[in-house]
Structures are given as structure tokens and as C-alpha cells.
Amino acid sequence: MKRRTLIRPAGLLAAVAAAALLLSACSAGGSTGSAAGATTKDNPYGLIQAGTVRVASLGDAKPYTFTDAKGDFTGFDVELFTDVAKRAGLGKAVFTGQDFSGLLAAVANHQFDVGVAAIGITADRKKTVDFSDGYLAGYLSVLTTKSSGIDSAKGLDGKRLGVVQGTLQETYAAQHFPKANLVRFPDNNSAVSALNSGSIDAHFLDYEAVKSYIAQYPNLKDADDIPSFDAPAGFAIAKGNPKLKAALNTALHAAMEDGTWKKLYQKWFPGSPMPEQYLPKAEQTSTPTPSK
Ligand code: SNW
């Protein structure tokens, strides 16, 4: 006898009703039993949705994090975090572009599980979020036009200097370039448009992003690089989730130790000096090698 699956009207109705209930529960801010950020047996890292890690990022911080021609997120930070999330068993990383100024608050409020955008770890930001260990330490750089006459940060006095709101560059410029006129932008692309159209004289952003804009616009140059080694970039997570933090750190250090970090660094930052602290231990010359 041939088996047939019969769907009786009553069964169908019950299934539709159950699906509707589930949907309404989901749309009520994910309050399906466990609050976002709470760890349970099925969701040990307290993700908004187990099996997916929602990442707040930026669409225009090339080569750290940006969207390619197809609209997909890519870059050093994106590829490193995707690798780390996989190793940590967090599931699929789904990236969303945000304005930098709202990024940490969105992570703190559990709108996202993680913030990944070359976010420097500082004591001030630690009041809002927790961070993984650092994974990148570089420079804050001054991007200007070849014709601006600006050859160093000293030349910024009396000039209009762009900064993206909420960045370390904004804080640093306010403290160290008091005679520059700061012009605040929501993102790098709008600041660089303003630079190219002559409405600002320079833009202050991360070193590798400066290199990337110079490759795109040959009329631009890097006038100065200020070390920001005391604020290495880390992955930002909401406070009070030590399991997620530990899982990220274990996976991050594994990605450093097996050479994945180095491979991504060479891919995305070609020609940049190779920092030693994130390389496999055997390749760190500053670590004294035990004598035989
Ligand atoms: O502090 C540096 C770090 O040393 C490395 O060079 C990567 O960038 C930084 O984390 C600084 N980044 C800025 C910040 O954290 C801007 C971030 C952005 O534009 N995406 O505010």
C-alpha cells in the first residue's frame, strides 16, 4: 500500500496557530524565554539568537571593514572575526553597517552581539562595553591633499580637520590640536568627499584607511602618523558575559598561533610593518628563545 501524508484541516489550523504564536514571540524583542545576553544550555554564549552572531560594523573603513561591490562585508577585521567566530563555535557571523558613533551603544544594548570595526580598547570605552584581547595596534593618520601645504600634524593649526564622530581621532584632535577647527562627520566617505571638494583641509583617521584612500585618490597624501599602540583594536561585547569573552579570546589566540592572523595581515595590509606580538610565539624574536 502506498503511504500518503494526509494533512487534515484541523492539524493545519493548529500548525498555523503555532507558527503565528512563535512569530509574535520572536517579534517581541526576542523574549522567547531567555533575555538577550543571558546564557542558557542551548545558548551558552548568550547570543541574541543561538547559532548566529550579529556584528555591528562599518561599511566604509577599508581595509579593516567595508562592503565590496556585491554589498558583502569584507576586510581584515571581518575575515579575522569570521574565523574567530567559527573557531569559538558561535555560528554564522552576520555583519551590519552602523555609524561609528552609535556602534558601542548598540552593542551595550544587545542590539548586536559584537562590535568589530578597528575599535581601540580604552578605559573610557570599557565603561560601556567589554573587549576581547587586542588584535591590531597601529597609527592615527592625517590624510590631506598634496597641494594643502600640510606636512605634519603641526601644520593643522588654523586648518579645517575632519574627524568621524566618536573615534579616538576626535578625542585626540580635541586634546592635541587645539588650534585646528574640527569638522565632525558620521563616516569616512563623507569626510573624504569633503576633503576632495575642498571644504576641509585634512581628515584624521586610521593609518590603513589612509593608505587605501591614497590608492584610490592619487591627489591625497599621508601627512603624519601618530602611534595608537596603547589602544589596540579589540572585539567589543556587552558587559557581563565572561563566557563569550573567554571564548573569543581563546579563538583569537588560536588564530594568532596558527598563522591565520599573519596571513590576513599580509593579505589586507601589504607592505605595512609586521608587528610581532600577534605572530605565532615561535616567530616572536623579542621573546627570549630558551637556550639548549
Ligand atoms: O587605536 C587604533 C589601533 O591601534 C589600530 O591602529 C586600529 O585602529 C585603532 O583602534 C583606532 N581606531 C579608531 C577608534 O577606535 C577609529 C575606528 C574606525 O574608524 N573604525 O576610534
Side-chain angles (χ1 to χ4, degrees):
M1 196 179 96
K2 229 169 120 190
R3 290 194 66 163
R4 290 205 309 156
T5 314
L6 284 173
I7 304 176
R8 285 168 297 123
L12 190 66
L13 268 179
V16 169
L21 260 178
L22 198 72
L23 270 175
S24 67
C26 288
S27 60
S31 54
T32 48
S34 67
T39 60
T40 63
K41 202 163 108 309
D42 298 333
N43 188 5
Y45 302 116
L47 300 176
I48 294 164
Q49 189 189 342
T52 300
V53 52
R54 295 194 194 167
V55 186
S57 192
L58 296 175
D60 71 341
K62 190 179 179 180
Y64 304 96
T65 153
F66 64 104
T67 44
D68 64 17
K70 285 185 295 173
D72 295 328
F73 278 83
T74 189
F76 175 82
D77 294 50
V78 169
E79 290 202 338
L80 179 65
F81 183 77
T82 301
D83 178 276
V84 164
K86 202 169 156 198
R87 275 178 211 261
L90 300 179
K92 188 177 157 53
V94 178
F95 291 81
T96 304
Q98 292 274 298
D99 277 354
F100 191 80
S101 61
L103 215 148
L104 293 181
V107 171
N109 295 337
H110 297 285
Q111 285 168 264
F112 293 92
D113 296 305
V114 188
V116 178
I119 307 168
I121 304 168
T122 65
D124 201 36
R125 288 174 174 171
K126 279 185 182 173
K127 291 177 194 161
T128 310
V129 289
D130 278 348
F131 283 98
S132 70
D133 291 340
Y135 62 82
L136 194 64
Y139 301 86
L140 315 180
S141 298
V142 177
L143 179 68
T144 188
T145 60
K146 284 180 177 162
S147 57
S148 68
I150 298 169
D151 293 316
S152 76
K154 287 198 185 76
L156 293 171
D157 288 2
K159 303 285 185 180
R160 289 158 301 175
L161 176 65
V163 288
V164 171
Q165 275 171 325
T167 59
L168 297 184
Q169 283 82 357
E170 180 183 23
T171 317
Y172 188 95
Q175 278 176 6
H176 296 88
F177 311 146
K179 289 181 181 155
N181 302 313
L182 293 193
V183 184
R184 291 169 174 83
F185 290 89
D187 52 53
N188 285 319
N189 278 350
S190 51
V192 173
S193 298
L195 179 60
N196 278 325
S197 70
S199 57
I200 57 172
D201 301 300
H203 178 45
F204 194 29
L205 68 171
D206 286 344
Y207 173 74
E208 300 289 348
V210 163
K211 271 179 56 179
S212 167
Y213 280 117
I214 289 172
Q216 191 182 348
Y217 303 108
N219 60 311
L220 301 181
K221 67 169 187 182
D222 181 347
D224 216 341
D225 301 314
I226 293 147
S228 187
F229 305 153
D230 57 338
F235 304 131
I237 59 171
K239 279 177 169 292
N241 192 344
K243 275 191 187 164
L244 178 58
K245 182 172 164 171
L248 289 177
N249 281 339
T250 302
L252 177 60
H253 289 289
M256 290 170 180
E257 193 52 38
D258 78 357
T260 299
W261 185 96
K262 181 182 181 182
K263 194 188 77 197
L264 292 176
Y265 189 93
Q266 288 170 328
K267 173 181 174 181
W268 290 105
F269 310 140
S272 290
M274 177 70 73
E276 288 214 347
Q277 69 266 38
Y278 308 126
L279 296 179
K281 283 190 191 70
E283 293 184 37
Q284 295 181 11
T285 52
S286 51
T287 312
T289 32
S291 51
K292 288 192 179 147

